Amino acid sequence: MRYNRRVNEPSPSRCPRCLLQVRWCLCADVPTVVTHTKIVIVRHYREVTRSSNSGRLAAMALPNSVLLDHGAPGTPPTQLSADVLDGARLLFPGGEMLGSANLPRTLIILDSTWSQARRMRRKVRGLEQVRTCLLYTSPSPRDGLLSRMPSSA
């Protein structure tokens, strides 16, 4: 991506909101998705300037969301506030499966690569006390509900 690092701004050929090339800007097409659950997206600083950053698009679509940047050199460690942590769950592998009947008040999502997410889970202050969860959306292999097509001979 063309990025003007001296002034820390996207190049003029990029949309300043979605960071895609102006001719591909999708800001007008991002839907608004209203949720009862507050969504806190903790984004790794290396994702900030990427046009492929899904956290940015999610924050654009979710009015009940907060986007926090984490880990930039020279910045203090990210500290999640008590009101964010109260009743929160971290969307992360290995947790309890949640469905629409038992969603938390706050859902924390780490926006990064998997290796960055593992480190962020340890380094973001407050996350050590947050239970992890998975979101149930459809049958998964662990449910044993997937059908298998018979192999053709």
Side-chain angles (χ1 to χ4, degrees):
M1 175 173 114
R2 289 175 53 209
Y3 196 80
N4 187 344
R5 294 191 188 279
R6 284 190 310 241
V7 293
N8 202 25
E9 294 176 0
S11 71
S13 64
R14 302 246 174 217
C15 169
R17 191 166 175 225
C18 69
L19 296 186
L20 293 173
Q21 291 183 7
V22 172
R23 68 177 184 235
W24 300 111
C25 174
L26 51 78
C27 293
D29 297 321
V30 175
T32 298
V33 180
V34 178
T35 61
H36 296 290
T37 299
K38 180 178 183 174
I39 308 294
V40 176
I41 303 165
V42 183
R43 176 174 60 182
H44 192 276
Y45 81 96
R46 289 189 175 159
E47 297 291 316
V48 172
T49 60
R50 294 186 182 189
S51 60
S52 62
N53 179 250
S54 55
R56 176 185 304 103
L57 295 176
M60 289 169 57
L62 299 164
N64 193 18
S65 68
V66 176
L67 183 62
L68 304 172
D69 290 326
H70 165 76
T75 62
T78 304
Q79 171 69 52
L80 297 177
S81 62
D83 64 315
V84 166
L85 295 171
D86 184 37
R89 300 297 286 276
L90 173 65
L91 186 62
F92 202 83
E96 172 188 355
M97 183 89 59
L98 299 181
S100 59
N102 61 344
L103 289 176
R105 288 192 354 216
T106 303
L107 183 63
I108 301 169
I109 301 171
L110 302 179
D111 183 30
S112 62
T113 65
W114 280 112
S115 61
Q116 291 165 344
R118 283 190 296 274
R119 288 190 301 272
M120 288 170 68
R121 186 170 178 217
R122 290 190 311 268
K123 292 181 177 183
V124 174
R125 294 186 178 159
L127 279 185
E128 68 278 355
Q129 65 190 28
V130 177
R131 291 175 44 204
T132 60
C133 69
L134 301 171
L135 297 180
Y136 178 83
T137 57
S138 62
S140 71
R142 76 167 73 168
D143 297 327
L145 299 176
L146 292 181
S147 63
R148 297 181 188 265
M149 293 191 59
S151 59
S152 57

